[in-house]
Amino acid sequence: MAVASPEHEAREAWAHVLDRAREELPETTVVMWFADVRPVRVHHDAIMLAVPSPLVRDRLQHNHLQLISRAAQEAAGRPLAVDLAVDEALREHSSIDGLD
């Protein structure tokens, strides 16, 4: 059995998180708070996610961390902590793309 790379595992888990979020939350919430999040990697027993701003990080931590943790754990088949790191370059890219 092939072992997935940490980056691939993160992308797979994040895709499952997004599916679960779309099932449980209004689409406007998903678009506003989840759309610009990027999976980085799964490292040790944590999924590392890049977020575009401290506001998004705080909102996800306070309002959606349980959903993210639960869905990531479902996808990985094991408990995963959630590490949200601000990467302001994500915001710059969405501004360039006309998404802001």
Side-chain angles (χ1 to χ4, degrees):
M1 176 170 83
V3 175
S5 72
E7 296 81 11
H8 179 76
E9 188 176 6
R11 285 190 304 272
E12 294 273 321
W14 185 246
H16 186 72
V17 169
L18 289 175
D19 289 343
R20 181 70 62 195
R22 287 187 180 101
E23 291 172 8
E24 297 183 20
L25 300 170
E27 185 63 22
T28 55
T29 299
V30 175
V31 170
M32 180 160 291
W33 302 110
F34 289 74
D36 291 333
V37 175
R38 298 293 175 256
V40 177
R41 70 181 177 272
V42 172
H43 185 67
H44 297 296
D45 287 319
I47 183 169
M48 303 176 84
L49 303 171
V51 298
S53 70
L55 176 64
V56 172
R57 179 195 59 210
D58 294 347
R59 182 67 169 213
L60 292 174
Q61 283 178 332
H62 294 291
N63 294 352
H64 306 294
L65 191 59
Q66 187 175 21
L67 180 150
I68 295 168
S69 296
R70 185 180 69 237
Q73 179 175 330
E74 289 170 2
R78 68 182 192 281
L80 288 178
V82 178
D83 181 13
L84 301 170
V86 175
D87 180 353
E88 302 232 350
L90 293 173
R91 185 171 51 199
E92 292 169 14
H93 287 294
S94 53
S95 293
I96 292 169
D97 296 338
L99 299 175
D100 258 358

